[in-house]
Amino acid sequence: MSNQWSTLYLRRSFSLAEAPATNAHLFLRVDWDDAFLAWLDGRFLAGRNQDGSEVEPPFDSLAASGHESSRGNSSPQPAETIDLGLAAALLAPGTHTLALMGLNQPLNSSDFILVADLFLEAVIPPDPNTNVVSGAIPVDAVWRAALSPYFVAGTVTVTA
């Protein structure tokens, strides 16, 4: 890409045989250098380090500024996991297409990385009356001292 191209387009189709569980959230995990935009079936999902528009920018656009991926060699940043909300609102049974656009900065950049994972995960809001914690914590949670100690009964994800 160096000195010739500033963007890369990726598309991946996948099929679902049945609707996602009612408590399943759709997550997009992205590791990028320097910017990205993502769409599912033509619907904008997320973007980082670009002009903020949901519209696909021109093919020769640049990222708003530099952003080092977790695999970078200068100030690496961790991959980001974005909770896109209830999966049933985005995915019905059938074929779907995830489309990504990666943008580099500057044109003579020596590196470019765009790694994306789209996945489902059940989100179980924490029960304020129990001391067992599991799943994603999608909203502010208050853990009461009276219920201490708390027990982690599986993977716990604290969303943004």
Side-chain angles (χ1 to χ4, degrees):
M1 288 179 60
S2 185
N3 293 314
Q4 293 200 347
W5 312 108
S6 60
T7 58
L8 177 71
Y9 298 86
L10 303 168
R11 292 170 60 100
R12 176 69 187 227
S13 293
F14 62 95
S15 295
L16 291 178
E18 56 188 51
T22 57
N23 67 337
H25 277 224
L26 187 63
F27 290 89
L28 176 66
R29 182 180 304 118
V30 186
D31 194 5
W32 76 93
D33 178 327
D34 288 301
F36 78 90
L37 294 103
W39 297 267
L40 179 63
D41 299 331
R43 179 179 177 180
F44 181 76
L45 296 177
R48 297 291 186 270
N49 207 22
Q50 42 83 27
D51 71 3
S53 173
E54 298 179 4
V55 177
E56 180 183 335
F59 76 94
D60 57 353
S61 297
L62 294 171
S65 63
H67 176 275
E68 199 69 29
S69 80
S70 69
R71 300 161 193 236
N73 56 7
S74 141
S75 302
Q77 301 293 311
E80 182 179 353
T81 301
I82 303 163
D83 184 346
L84 301 170
L86 288 172
L90 298 166
L91 297 171
T95 301
H96 301 277
T97 301
L98 175 65
L100 295 133
M101 179 182 185
L103 296 92
N104 216 358
Q105 170 71 23
L107 188 59
N108 65 351
S109 175
S110 64
D111 63 349
F112 176 83
I113 293 174
L114 181 57
V115 179
D117 296 302
L118 191 64
F119 62 95
L120 296 171
E121 187 172 297
V123 173
I124 303 168
D127 183 342
N129 301 311
T130 183
N131 63 349
V132 178
V133 180
S134 180
I137 300 175
V139 296
D140 291 342
V142 176
W143 294 2
R144 299 177 184 3
L147 294 175
S148 299
Y150 281 83
F151 299 94
V152 177
T155 301
V156 174
T157 304
V158 179
T159 57

